[in-house]
Amino acid sequence: MVLTLRSINEDPARASSHALETELAQAAAFVRKHSIASIYHAGSGHPGGAMSSADILACLYGAELNLWPDSIEDPNRDRFVLSKGHAAPALYAVGARYGFCDAKSALRLRKLNSPFQGHPHVLDLPWVETSTGSLGQGVSVAVGMAMGLKLQGLSARVYTLLGDGELQEGEVWEAAMCAAHHGLDNLCIIIDYNKLQSDNRNSEIMRLEPLAAKWRAFDFGIAEIDGHDIPEILKTFRRASVTQGRPSVIIAHTIKGKGVKYMENIPTWHGSVKFTRQQAEDALQSLGATRSEIKELLDV
Amino acid sequence: MSSTPSLIAIGNDSLRESFGKALSALADEFPKVVVLDADLAGGTGVHHFRKSHPERLLQFGIAEQNMMAAAGGLAATGLVPVVTTFAVFCLRAIEQARLSLAYARRNAKIVASHPGLDVGPDGGSAQALEDLAAFRAIPGMTVISPADPIEMAKATRAMLEFEGPVYMRTGRSPARRVFNDDHVFEIGKGQIVRDGSDLTIVACGVELARALDAAEELEKENISARVVNMATIKPIDGALLKRCAEETGAFVTAEDHNIYGGLGSAVAESLAASHPCPIEFVGVKDVFGASGEPEELAEQFGLTGPHIARAARAVLERKRKA
Ligand SMILES: Cc1ncc(C[n+]2csc(CCOP(=O)(O)OP(=O)(O)O)c2C)c(N)n1
Ligand SMILES: [Mg+2]
């Protein structure tokens, strides 16, 4: 696959340091392992799209977002909206990694009276910014946030992560038209382009291609990148952040199930998944977890 | 009155699976039926139909609004579209259902899986507790919520034989068996599934089995509870309700839905016009759901047999004072 940066501003503001990249790679690994463990304990959940988005989420929370656990009520904080709400386990894991919630509590995914519901709920966890789970709505909420910030003269930015199947919702394109019309250059849409959705490949269910051309026609700044390449993700965020006059979209090519050998590119690992102990152990091992880490994550 | 059913242990068949199998089995008999899917065939049960009749499964992608209105177009050409998705995403396309299906009076069917707290761990975001109310408010829309896999299969046939727009709820979780194979399902007709004289419990969907639990518990206290299965919420069986009002004089309604706007409201509206009497409403009390296993949620939100029994005692208290 030839990955080329397209029309997002070509001037990277800062170079990313090697130390930061190492930290983010570790954070992404943590997100994957924690998600597998929480889905194992829950007895249900969506692992595939959690794995594909882990690197993007690590880069957002570990580097890009101007958002800290003590600033979640700051009107000028950057916002992140997980529009593909079924990847909640990955969001909770990255939140745990960066101090927004407790890692052990977040293993109580989908349990009765746990704030870590199957889909993010802003009344349970204020730092998730809004409630999602119905595909296509998060991006509209993000558009509203970007408008609201601009109207109030605030310089904060809004990021939202969408699934590729999610792009089939007409609402996404209503939001895109609106964002471009209003010149929301404080909005950055990221697409987890893992080529699979619930039942099958996008190309079988409802074709998305030519995808970049669609966004170009909607007048977005576009970058097409490898969504598992941390330096490239960081560089692209920097470029998006200095794009002026129009919103940005990052089409991140990813692998559904990334990091778990038996899961990669297999549609049935999308959701409604109940891991056996063996599957959970194999997944964690595939992700490089040590024996003691596996025990710690699975025997709580 | 139909035969008194015994609760046949927990069956492994969910209502959605029963629906999917029935639809597939009926497909040759109803050659005009086409099934519309929005990337959830595995979840709604229509994977059975896809397997048996792949050329009649129309894939719309994750785009429920387009799917719903397109059903109106398909119906306009003489086909019988069956729109399938989760109940909560039917709400998303309700305006399309209103205009392009009901207002245009198309012979189109909407079959919604994953309703209510029965959704379980996916949580409040995914649990439709408003769908019966919303679809009931659309003129000309028939609203059905069968109680067990056997009734589900029979209701699927009845829905296809019926001319006009229908909204039917299935269910995600393994459903308890209530009926035997000889069960008769007719749109618009409730039936007494257990007789009693002190009060009437009217239930639909997963709550019917719980209502029977309640009747059993009440019997030990010498309270004789009649249990009515009201699988058709609209049009409601007003004649049966009136008869039960005259014979028992008190009601409890039970549904896996908000207490506002669904079965309870339909029963109350009907009785208010025919034979007013005390009613207690068992359902979700105007709050959103949450994550948890369906049985845990039913307990926490007050939908289990013991909760229905408590409501029965309360309504008897009111009946005595009246
Ligand atoms: C409006 C809406 N329709 C249907 C669903 C059910 N659903 C949950 S995830 C999913 C597939 C999503 O695929 P994609 O957006 O590609 O996500 P990813 O591959 O990143 O997991 C579907 C259909 C939903 N959550 N919302
Ligand atoms: Mg996808």
Side-chain angles (χ1 to χ4, degrees), chain A residues 235-285:
Chain A
K235 204 166 61 184
T236 311
F237 279 145
R238 307 279 11 112
R239 288 174 178 177
S241 71
V242 293
T243 295
Q244 297 215 336
R246 55 188 184 157
S248 299
V249 63
I250 299 174
I251 301 173
H253 290 268
T254 57
I255 294 168
K256 200 153 176 173
K258 170 76 176 176
V260 180
K261 285 283 162 298
Y262 66 78
M263 201 181 284
E264 289 187 358
N265 274 318
I266 310 283
T268 44
W269 285 103
H270 165 76
S272 294
V273 168
K274 190 178 169 83
F275 285 126
T276 62
R277 173 76 186 204
Q278 192 59 49
Q279 284 168 336
E281 283 188 17
D282 290 349
L284 290 172
Q285 206 162 24

Coordinates of all heavy atoms in Angstrom, one line a residue, chain A residues 235-285:
Chain A
K235 N 2.6 13.1 13.4 CA 3.0 14.1 12.4 C 1.7 14.7 11.7 O 1.5 15.8 11.4 CB 3.9 13.4 11.3 CG 4.8 14.4 10.5 CD 5.8 13.5 9.8 CE 5.2 12.6 8.8 NZ 6.1 11.7 8.1
T236 N 0.8 13.7 11.4 CA -0.5 14.1 10.7 C -1.3 15.0 11.6 O -2.0 15.9 11.1 CB -1.2 12.9 10.2 OG1 -0.3 12.0 9.6 CG2 -2.3 13.2 9.3
F237 N -1.4 14.7 12.9 CA -2.2 15.5 13.8 C -1.6 16.9 13.8 O -2.3 17.9 13.8 CB -2.1 15.0 15.2 CG -3.1 13.8 15.5 CD1 -2.7 12.8 16.4 CD2 -4.3 13.8 14.9 CE1 -3.6 11.8 16.6 CE2 -5.2 12.8 15.2 CZ -4.9 11.8 16.0
R238 N -0.3 17.0 13.8 CA 0.3 18.4 13.8 C -0.1 19.2 12.6 O -0.4 20.3 12.6 CB 1.9 18.3 13.9 CG 2.4 17.5 15.0 CD 2.5 18.1 16.4 NE 1.8 19.4 16.6 CZ 0.8 19.6 17.4 NH1 0.2 18.5 18.0 NH2 0.2 20.7 17.5
R239 N 0.0 18.4 11.5 CA -0.4 19.1 10.2 C -1.9 19.5 10.2 O -2.2 20.6 9.7 CB -0.1 18.2 9.0 CG 1.4 18.1 8.9 CD 1.8 17.1 7.8 NE 3.2 17.1 7.6 CZ 3.9 16.2 6.8 NH1 3.2 15.4 6.1 NH2 5.2 16.3 6.7
A240 N -2.7 18.6 10.7 CA -4.1 18.9 10.7 C -4.4 20.2 11.6 O -5.2 21.0 11.3 CB -4.9 17.7 11.3
S241 N -3.6 20.3 12.7 CA -3.9 21.4 13.6 C -3.5 22.7 13.1 O -4.0 23.7 13.6 CB -3.1 21.1 14.9 OG -1.8 21.3 14.7
V242 N -2.7 22.8 12.0 CA -2.4 24.1 11.4 C -3.1 24.3 10.1 O -2.9 25.3 9.4 CB -0.9 24.3 11.3 CG1 -0.2 24.4 12.6 CG2 -0.3 23.2 10.4
T243 N -4.0 23.4 9.8 CA -4.8 23.6 8.6 C -5.9 24.7 8.8 O -6.5 24.6 9.9 CB -5.5 22.3 8.2 OG1 -4.5 21.3 7.8 CG2 -6.5 22.5 7.0
Q244 N -6.0 25.6 8.0 CA -6.9 26.7 8.2 C -8.0 26.8 7.3 O -7.9 26.5 6.1 CB -6.1 28.0 8.1 CG -5.0 28.1 9.1 CD -4.7 29.5 9.7 OE1 -5.0 30.5 9.0 NE2 -4.2 29.6 10.9
G245 N -9.2 27.2 7.8 CA -10.3 27.5 6.9 C -11.2 26.3 6.6 O -12.3 26.4 6.1
R246 N -10.7 25.1 6.9 CA -11.6 23.9 6.6 C -11.2 22.8 7.6 O -10.1 22.7 8.1 CB -11.5 23.5 5.2 CG -10.1 23.2 4.8 CD -10.1 22.9 3.3 NE -8.7 22.6 2.8 CZ -8.5 21.9 1.7 NH1 -9.5 21.5 1.0 NH2 -7.3 21.6 1.3
P247 N -12.2 21.9 7.8 CA -12.0 20.7 8.7 C -11.0 19.7 8.1 O -10.8 19.7 6.8 CB -13.3 20.1 8.8 CG -14.1 20.6 7.6 CD -13.6 21.9 7.2
S248 N -10.4 18.9 8.9 CA -9.5 17.8 8.4 C -10.1 16.5 8.6 O -10.9 16.2 9.6 CB -8.2 17.9 9.3 OG -7.6 19.1 9.1
V249 N -9.7 15.6 7.7 CA -10.1 14.2 7.9 C -8.8 13.3 7.8 O -8.0 13.6 6.9 CB -11.2 13.7 7.0 CG1 -10.8 13.7 5.5 CG2 -11.6 12.2 7.3
I250 N -8.6 12.4 8.7 CA -7.4 11.5 8.6 C -8.0 10.1 8.3 O -8.7 9.6 9.2 CB -6.6 11.5 9.9 CG1 -6.0 12.9 10.2 CG2 -5.4 10.5 9.8 CD1 -5.3 13.1 11.5
I251 N -7.7 9.6 7.1 CA -8.1 8.3 6.8 C -7.0 7.4 7.2 O -5.9 7.3 6.6 CB -8.4 8.2 5.3 CG1 -9.5 9.2 4.9 CG2 -8.8 6.7 4.9 CD1 -9.7 9.2 3.4
A252 N -7.2 6.7 8.4 CA -6.1 5.9 8.9 C -6.4 4.4 8.5 O -7.3 3.8 9.0 CB -6.1 6.0 10.5
H253 N -5.5 3.9 7.7 CA -5.6 2.5 7.3 C -5.2 1.6 8.5 O -4.0 1.8 9.0 CB -4.7 2.2 6.1 CG -5.3 2.9 4.8 ND1 -6.1 2.2 4.0 CD2 -5.1 4.1 4.3 CE1 -6.4 3.1 3.0 NE2 -5.8 4.2 3.2
T254 N -6.0 0.7 8.9 CA -5.7 -0.1 10.1 C -6.1 -1.5 9.8 O -6.7 -1.8 8.7 CB -6.6 0.4 11.3 OG1 -7.9 0.3 10.9 CG2 -6.2 1.8 11.7
I255 N -5.8 -2.4 10.7 CA -6.1 -3.8 10.6 C -7.0 -4.1 11.8 O -6.7 -3.9 13.0 CB -4.8 -4.7 10.7 CG1 -4.0 -4.4 9.5 CG2 -5.2 -6.1 10.8 CD1 -2.6 -4.9 9.6
K256 N -8.2 -4.6 11.5 CA -9.1 -5.0 12.5 C -8.6 -6.2 13.3 O -8.1 -7.1 12.7 CB -10.5 -5.3 12.0 CG -11.6 -5.2 13.0 CD -13.0 -4.9 12.4 CE -14.1 -4.9 13.4 NZ -15.3 -4.4 12.9
G257 N -8.5 -6.0 14.6 CA -7.9 -7.1 15.5 C -6.4 -7.0 15.6 O -5.8 -7.8 16.2
K258 N -5.9 -5.8 15.1 CA -4.4 -5.6 15.1 C -3.7 -6.1 16.4 O -4.1 -5.6 17.5 CB -4.1 -4.2 14.8 CG -2.7 -3.7 15.0 CD -1.8 -4.2 13.8 CE -0.4 -3.7 13.9 NZ 0.5 -4.2 12.8
G259 N -2.7 -6.9 16.2 CA -1.9 -7.4 17.3 C -2.3 -8.7 17.9 O -1.5 -9.4 18.5
V260 N -3.5 -9.2 17.6 CA -3.9 -10.5 18.1 C -4.0 -11.4 16.8 O -4.9 -11.2 16.0 CB -5.3 -10.4 18.8 CG1 -5.7 -11.8 19.2 CG2 -5.3 -9.5 19.9
K261 N -3.0 -12.2 16.7 CA -2.8 -13.0 15.4 C -4.1 -13.6 14.9 O -4.5 -13.5 13.8 CB -1.7 -14.0 15.6 CG -0.3 -13.4 15.6 CD 0.2 -13.0 14.2 CE 1.4 -12.1 14.3 NZ 1.1 -10.8 14.9
Y262 N -4.8 -14.3 15.8 CA -6.0 -15.1 15.4 C -7.2 -14.2 15.0 O -8.2 -14.7 14.5 CB -6.3 -16.2 16.4 CG -6.9 -15.7 17.7 CD1 -8.2 -15.2 17.8 CD2 -6.1 -15.7 18.9 CE1 -8.7 -14.8 19.1 CE2 -6.6 -15.3 20.1 CZ -7.9 -14.8 20.2 OH -8.4 -14.4 21.4
M263 N -7.1 -13.0 15.3 CA -8.2 -12.1 15.2 C -8.1 -11.2 13.9 O -9.1 -10.7 13.4 CB -8.3 -11.2 16.4 CG -9.6 -10.5 16.7 SD -9.5 -9.5 18.2 CE -9.5 -10.7 19.5
E264 N -6.9 -10.9 13.5 CA -6.6 -9.9 12.5 C -7.4 -10.2 11.2 O -7.3 -11.3 10.7 CB -5.1 -9.8 12.2 CG -4.3 -9.2 13.3 CD -2.9 -8.9 13.0 OE1 -2.4 -9.2 11.9 OE2 -2.2 -8.3 13.9
N265 N -8.1 -9.2 10.8 CA -8.9 -9.3 9.5 C -10.0 -10.3 9.4 O -10.5 -10.6 8.4 CB -7.9 -9.5 8.3 CG -7.3 -8.2 7.8 OD1 -8.0 -7.2 7.7 ND2 -6.0 -8.2 7.6
I266 N -10.4 -10.8 10.6 CA -11.5 -11.8 10.6 C -12.8 -11.1 11.1 O -12.9 -10.7 12.2 CB -11.2 -13.0 11.6 CG1 -9.8 -13.5 11.3 CG2 -12.3 -14.0 11.5 CD1 -9.7 -14.4 10.1
P267 N -13.8 -11.0 10.2 CA -15.0 -10.2 10.6 C -15.7 -10.7 11.8 O -16.2 -9.9 12.6 CB -15.9 -10.4 9.4 CG -15.0 -10.7 8.2 CD -13.8 -11.5 8.8
T268 N -15.7 -12.0 12.1 CA -16.4 -12.5 13.3 C -15.9 -12.0 14.6 O -16.6 -12.1 15.6 CB -16.5 -14.0 13.3 OG1 -15.2 -14.5 13.0 CG2 -17.5 -14.5 12.3
W269 N -14.7 -11.4 14.6 CA -14.2 -10.9 15.9 C -14.6 -9.4 16.1 O -14.1 -8.7 16.9 CB -12.7 -11.0 15.9 CG -12.3 -12.4 16.2 CD1 -11.8 -13.3 15.3 CD2 -12.4 -13.1 17.5 NE1 -11.6 -14.5 16.0 CE2 -12.0 -14.4 17.3 CE3 -12.8 -12.7 18.8 CZ2 -12.0 -15.4 18.3 CZ3 -12.8 -13.7 19.8 CH2 -12.4 -15.0 19.5
H270 N -15.6 -9.0 15.3 CA -16.1 -7.7 15.5 C -16.8 -7.5 16.9 O -16.4 -6.6 17.6 CB -17.2 -7.3 14.4 CG -18.0 -6.1 14.8 ND1 -17.5 -4.8 14.7 CD2 -19.2 -6.0 15.2 CE1 -18.4 -4.0 15.1 NE2 -19.5 -4.6 15.4
G271 N -17.8 -8.3 17.1 CA -18.6 -8.1 18.4 C -19.3 -9.3 18.8 O -19.2 -10.3 18.2
S272 N -20.1 -9.0 19.9 CA -20.9 -10.1 20.5 C -19.9 -11.3 20.8 O -20.2 -12.4 20.6 CB -22.0 -10.6 19.7 OG -23.0 -9.6 19.6
V273 N -18.7 -10.9 21.3 CA -17.7 -11.9 21.5 C -17.6 -12.3 22.9 O -17.5 -11.5 23.8 CB -16.4 -11.4 21.0 CG1 -15.2 -12.2 21.4 CG2 -16.4 -11.2 19.5
K274 N -17.6 -13.6 23.2 CA -17.4 -14.1 24.5 C -16.1 -14.9 24.5 O -16.0 -16.0 23.9 CB -18.6 -15.0 24.9 CG -18.6 -15.4 26.4 CD -19.8 -16.2 26.7 CE -19.8 -16.9 28.0 NZ -20.2 -16.0 29.1
F275 N -15.0 -14.4 25.1 CA -13.7 -15.0 25.1 C -13.7 -16.2 26.0 O -14.2 -16.1 27.2 CB -12.6 -14.1 25.6 CG -12.2 -13.1 24.6 CD1 -12.2 -11.7 24.9 CD2 -11.7 -13.4 23.3 CE1 -11.7 -10.8 24.1 CE2 -11.3 -12.5 22.4 CZ -11.3 -11.1 22.8
T276 N -13.2 -17.3 25.6 CA -12.8 -18.4 26.6 C -11.5 -17.9 27.3 O -10.8 -17.0 26.8 CB -12.6 -19.7 25.9 OG1 -11.4 -19.6 25.0 CG2 -13.8 -20.2 25.0
R277 N -11.2 -18.6 28.4 CA -10.0 -18.2 29.1 C -8.8 -18.4 28.2 O -7.9 -17.6 28.1 CB -9.9 -19.2 30.3 CG -8.6 -19.1 31.1 CD -8.5 -17.8 31.9 NE -7.2 -17.7 32.5 CZ -7.0 -17.0 33.6 NH1 -8.0 -16.4 34.2 NH2 -5.8 -16.9 34.1
Q278 N -8.9 -19.5 27.4 CA -7.7 -19.8 26.5 C -7.6 -18.7 25.4 O -6.5 -18.3 25.1 CB -8.0 -21.2 25.8 CG -6.7 -21.7 25.1 CD -5.5 -21.9 26.1 OE1 -5.7 -22.5 27.2 NE2 -4.4 -21.4 25.7
Q279 N -8.7 -18.3 24.9 CA -8.6 -17.3 23.8 C -8.1 -16.0 24.4 O -7.3 -15.3 23.8 CB -10.0 -17.0 23.2 CG -10.5 -18.1 22.3 CD -12.0 -18.0 21.9 OE1 -12.7 -17.4 22.7 NE2 -12.3 -18.5 20.8
A280 N -8.5 -15.6 25.6 CA -8.0 -14.4 26.2 C -6.5 -14.5 26.5 O -5.8 -13.6 26.2 CB -8.8 -14.1 27.5
E281 N -6.1 -15.7 27.0 CA -4.6 -15.9 27.2 C -3.9 -15.8 25.9 O -2.8 -15.1 25.9 CB -4.4 -17.2 27.9 CG -4.8 -17.1 29.4 CD -4.3 -18.4 30.1 OE1 -3.5 -19.2 29.6 OE2 -4.9 -18.6 31.2
D282 N -4.4 -16.5 24.9 CA -3.7 -16.4 23.6 C -3.6 -15.0 23.1 O -2.5 -14.6 22.5 CB -4.4 -17.3 22.6 CG -4.3 -18.8 22.9 OD1 -3.4 -19.2 23.8 OD2 -5.0 -19.6 22.3
A283 N -4.7 -14.3 23.2 CA -4.7 -12.9 22.7 C -3.6 -12.1 23.4 O -2.9 -11.4 22.8 CB -6.1 -12.3 22.9
L284 N -3.6 -12.2 24.7 CA -2.7 -11.4 25.5 C -1.2 -11.8 25.2 O -0.3 -11.0 25.1 CB -3.0 -11.6 27.0 CG -4.3 -10.9 27.5 CD1 -4.6 -11.3 28.9 CD2 -4.2 -9.4 27.3
Q285 N -1.0 -13.1 25.0 CA 0.3 -13.6 24.7 C 0.7 -13.0 23.3 O 1.8 -12.5 23.1 CB 0.3 -15.1 24.6 CG 1.6 -15.7 24.9 CD 1.5 -17.2 25.2 OE1 0.5 -17.8 24.9 NE2 2.5 -17.7 25.9

